[in-house]
Amino acid sequence: MRKLVTVFLCVFFALCQLAAQNKTITGKVTDAEGKPVAGASVQVKGTKQGVSANDAGIFTISVPTTATTLSISGVGLVAQDVRIGTSTVLNVSMVSSDKNLDEVVVVAYGTAKKSTNTGSQGVVGAKDIAQRPISNVNQALEGAIPGVITGTANGQPGSGVSIRVRGFGSINASSDPLFVVDGVPYVGGTSNINPDDVESTTVLKDASATALYGSRAANGVIMITTKKGKKGRNNISMRMLQGQTSRGLEEYQRVDAFQYYPMMWEAYRNSLVYPTTGVGISLDSANRVASGLTTRTGIHGLLTYNPFNVPNNAIVGTNGRLNPNAQLIYGDDLDWTKELISTGNRQEYNINFSGGSDKSDYFLSLSHLDDKGYTLRSDLKRSTLRLNVNINPLSWVKTGLNVTGNFATSNQASDGGSTSFVNPFFFTRNMGPIYPVYAHNMTTGAYLLDATGNRFWDLGNMGAQGLGISNRPSGASSGRHALAETRLNNENYRRTVVSARNFVDITFLKDFKFTNNISVDYQTQYDASYQNTLVGDGAPAGRSSRDYSSNMGFITSQLLNYNKKLGDHRIDVLVGREAFNQYQEALGGFKQGQSLSGNTELGNFTTINSSTSSVDRYRIESYFSRANYDYKGKYFVSGSIRRDGNSRFAAESRWGTFWSVGGGWNIEKENFMKNVSFVNQLKLRSSYGVVGVADGIGLYAYQGLYGFANNANDPGIVQSQTAFLNKSLTWETNKQFDIGLDFALFKNRLTGSVEYYHRVSADLLFAVPQPLSSGALTVNQNTATMFNKGIELQLNGDVLKTKDFVWNMNLNLSTVVNQITKMPESVPDFVTGTKKYQVGVSIFDYWLRTYYGVDPTDGAPLFVAQSTAANASRRLITNKNGGLDTLTTDISNGKFEYQGSTIPDFYGSFTQSVTYKQFTLSALFMFQVGGLTYDQNYASLMAVGTSYGAAYHTDILNRWQKPGDITNVPRLDAGRSAQFNGASSRWLIDASYFNIRTVNLSYNLPKSLTNRMKVNNGQFFISIENALFSSKRIGLNNQQAFSGVTSNAYPPARVFTVGVSLNL
Amino acid sequence: MKKNIFILLVFSALIFSSCKKEFLDTYSTTAVAADDALSSTQNATAALNGMHRIMYTQYDAQGQSGEGACNLFRDYMGEDIVFPLANGSQGHLGWVQWQNHRNVNSGDMRFVYRFYYRLISNANVLINGIDAVPGAAASKNMIKGQALVYRAWAHFQLVQLWGERYRAGANNSQLGVPLLLTNTLEGQPRATVEAVYTQINKDLDQAIVLLAGYTRTGSAAKSNLDINVARGVKARVALVQENWDVAATNAAAARASFPLMTNADYVRGFNDISNAEWIWGSRQISDHNTFFFSYFAYISSNFNSTVIRTQPRAVNANLFNALPTTDIRRSVFDLTGAGTVIPPGGARVPFQNKKFLASSDALSIGDVPYMRSAEMLLIEAEARARQGQTLAAQTALFTLMRNRMPNYVQSTSTGQTLLNEIYFNRRAELWGEGHRFTDLKRLNLPMSRVGIANHVIALIQVQEIPAGDVRWQFLFPQDEMNQNKAMVQNPL
């Protein structure tokens, strides 16, 4: 067939040649490295006559003798005009547009030439994620763009990272950026999107870039653009990844069984010597009591389990040391993570077909992801398909449909509540190291077996069952069992997403283009949850819930573009209108009392706990306009304005106007720069604008409401304590100033930018607390003000570049300063958790009691005293300067002070990429310097009190033991643990970190091989995500939350992957 | 030409496709607009029912279940509820330790304050708005009457906790609590204790008139506040104010149609509103599941929660030992714990409570008792005894005791001995129902746990509080101090 076509074409061309006085030119199109450019378009300038180069880059074109110039272009290359000389051979070397400074960038409602764009934005391209095993596209933003702070992804498969663009914009409303997918605000999560379909992710940072999104853009806009077919090149692309997931972050270091018993003994002994009320007993007596040598309860009686082969009253001697003969009798069964946390598999398959002709292009992709987390019952299976077709049915009409479908199922680990027993990370982290997973004979240590000869779980409350097993004490989660609960419970969802984007472009009167966009995002999710009858929250009845929800976004917009070039002047005007309509439905049922085992559907349960339904609508109507003007590509200005009406606000307050102005100057185009040959680009740009925030506020936040509250079967309603009519409630506004310098030097070998921004967030929505006696809790008001400012630096350069060897380096550095400048009049300061808001500090400044150290005389902790009046807890200590510090051992008399901030001095990332011949090794490093983390997880591992049985951190080994000991860890004292180890500056730790986010080694198949395999190109690669976490404390993740407070969340996953990609 | 027509069409479509004005008006489907509460007597009745509901819903945290939780908090501060296990759950322990009500940042204490004012705010909407609602006078009287009882009762509960005790016959000019008679976000100052009691009585007297013709109906009838509840509250108020005759007559009237329960009913778990002697209580049905937060999740013997499993409630050993073996009330406690219905893996302790039973080990619901005939008889006995009407007092006590203990012989005691007998039976009868702290406070007695063997001293920390100590006054929550500029804190 192919031959036939070739013959036909040859004859056809031959005949054509006869018809005109033509000559034939042949040649080869190569890229900068000398490789052939397949499919390059070769056209006679000024005509429609043209051909494409073949796979070897060879073209043959017949041109009229009158023709003088050929235009040559190719995907990813800078178009070139070549003069036709007398020769009939014309070889052309093309320059890659990777370094082409006039590339096109994605902007609000369209694209723009980068060189004359006034906005500040950063881009992550498809090639940046092609070799990374990421399941959520927003993970690609980690460390990629200065000014963007990301949290670490939770290890739950498919979970994304939280993102802050240029500081922290809001207090009670949302600080999340707006996600826009293929030009339309997206309704749904980014985990719905197949990362392999993504062409680019662009972060719009300044007001000039975002103002066209008006009321929702104050926290930045993230524009995800999916791939489309390229003209002139049909392509089949395949990508396959196989990987293994494991825990990326180590566990905190904790004491073992041998260390644990003496520590708990000491905590108990000390509580007898220093009782909270009354007079203590002597040290000797207390030693004997604690060891269990008296009639009083010994330490074994409190811990209730003896994992050693020595008698219960001989585990710890009166000297506080473990019996030297003690050996573990069930030592193989003390690791609670063994069955819960191991490794998982991750598999990903992608194939796409793409191509295009003059009149149409298409992109069709299929993908399947099977990502098993490293904990039991935690996974994501996702299949997606996408079809993006664009056609040009008439010369003045262009239209396209980009539609995607997605089906996902997922089991979710129960890490929602940081201290809920069912959370496997909380449970295993804090379980004392002497409690076994399975039931054992407490004398021999042998596993107990049930009637069927199998081991069974020790649920920690089997004391009454005559098995010789005690109940675990409350500190060891008595009656709970994370492994059993994870195995027997069920938390999963099924999600189906359909998303479509359509546009129709009509060009008319030469310079006008009208575009109509219609888009639908529709997502349904079915959540199933079951808690078993044996152990945990559902026991003994068993309970089950089913929740069905749908979320639909229907968005239409009409855009009119006018684009005119008059000599040196270029004008580009856009006017548009958009209607955003979101519709959410929910239906849920929750029952308990399981009838038959095995079936978890609601019909199998007897008692209705709740049945609910709701419908919610969110709507925005917008009108907007933008005008760009540039003169000779040298000076350019732009302005935009948008008017939004938002259903979250009362009719009186729902319309707002947002705007921006920006300007720029391409200095390198000036005459005086002509001789400065090492400068290829020098662009100064600046902008100012006002944008808004409405998201994160309740959908009906301005309305006064009564909620449903039936009394038995009588219908009832009750006043909301937070929803009071406030017709003046309106947007938060962000006023942002931005100035930046973009540069390219030394033949574009060194590129970069440096920027400064100052962003004032005014009318911040604040849930202003009210007197409780008014019956209200909080009322939403626009009152507070704060600013974020910072400097951003990006540098990218080829450090070394030879024919075979390229070493590229990219550096991002950012700073952010956040400060509150106005608080509500009635609430000049406001304490929330570990922070206190007030004028002059940031929203992330810690407000805690000041920990001073340990009193060497009795090991009591010392806090700086708030009331320095003499009392029993007051201590005076001589400080370094010879003065006296007034301290207290009573934490409730400790003084609250500002203790520094979560926000780092600076943060950033660098990427190293080394290419040698076919090999490329690259790595992304992320770091932060300064800032403080409040390590809540560590605090609870250091504070085991009257609830005996919880785990201790190894730092407990440094505790105060006898008068004169100098240490920072107070006396172990079960009776005073809460008081000794309460919230204070003691739990703050330097948040500096250095992480290796991803390492990647790839091998490009050489041409000799690809030719033989009949593929265009191919790659093998190995990659490791989350290769290294390095912080001031093992187990500590400083990026877990922007607030800086750690919790027992699912630690990030390390993913080791091998992959192959082929292009046919 | 074709192209121009097309463009014209598109543009005209555009112009007319502009959104309608209502496009941006959206409303919640899980709530109704505040104005609707007063659009009809039917809706106002729903707003009243909502108040009955919030008597037993959850507030900010686990264990904050409306009035049931407040009842527990008040009894924990006495000597008769015992947390028996040193290494058991510490839920609610801060009350036993007399810490929570003296800690301005305590969430539990904030909840108590918030809860009563929430009821007052909801009541005010109805009291001040119902007259303008179209509808039958009978319905409006019923709604307004109940709302007035709520407002009076909530102010009464608040002033007993935050104010200094009411001193009968003295000038009660000490600061009480803010009186909220109309809803405002402006912080209100504390009214004097006298002024608060004056308003409470005014509201109750008005309610008694309005509720005269009202009969409660439906399965949740007893969660409504009828004239008997109004009289019962009036009796409690009069007891504090030492208006002995008012107390006795209102108590007698309140219980008139509620005969004492049988001994068989006495051991059924105190969770059923249909019990003959209940005058007022919350009615809970299964789809109002209260999970781990409810009254019964903390005071029942059988619900499967960490609290009940590891820290079952026990009775003061001395109180138990003083109860004659023939007294039915002794049988709701268990000397060894062996005969108590416990959840799987639960602990058994001496003097274990089995007075209260949740619906099952899996379902923490149950009807919550707020007012029973027995209490009215005890009020009557105490009031008559204090009046010097010894025989009337002995008779009232006998009426109760003959039911609880068949071989009970009418007391012949007089004076303080008789009163002591009445007070002892108040403790035995009302264990866990929220009267101990306010009884001690109104009688100006110390709280003493000294010599009670089953209290774990290391756990409870506090053994004795002298009468008149500042700690008998709750502190105002920090949130109230911060937002209410007119507020004055109690002495620290």
Side-chain angles (χ1 to χ4, degrees), chain A residues 64-80:
Chain A
T65 47
T66 52
T68 57
T69 313
L70 286 184
S71 293
I72 297 154
S73 59
V75 177
L77 301 168
V78 181
Q80 252 190 68

Side-chain angles (χ1 to χ4, degrees), chain A residues 106-139:
Chain A
V106 177
V107 298
Y109 301 98
T111 55
K113 281 192 339 192
K114 191 174 181 186
S115 67
T116 56
N117 182 26
T118 57
S120 169
Q121 52 201 41
V123 187
V124 178
K127 66 176 175 16
D128 297 316
I129 57 173
Q131 292 166 11
R132 291 182 60 183
I134 58 177
S135 302
N136 189 320
V137 66
N138 77 14
Q139 286 180 33

Side-chain angles (χ1 to χ4, degrees), chain A residues 609 706 710 721 773 946, chain B residues 23 32 53 90 114 289 480:
Chain A
N609 291 339
Y706 264 65
N710 294 346
Q721 293 194 274
S773 54
T946 45
Chain B
F23 179 72
V32 295
R53 175 69 183 275
Q90 307 197 353
R114 173 193 170 191
N289 199 339
E480 180 74 11

Side-chain angles (χ1 to χ4, degrees), chain A residues 368-387:
Chain A
H368 180 73
L369 170 72
D370 187 349
D371 188 353
K372 289 196 175 62
Y374 61 83
T375 66
L376 208 59
R377 279 187 177 273
S378 153
D379 58 46
L380 171 69
K381 282 198 181 84
R382 180 179 68 200
S383 300
T384 69
L385 46 92
R386 176 180 295 274
L387 178 62

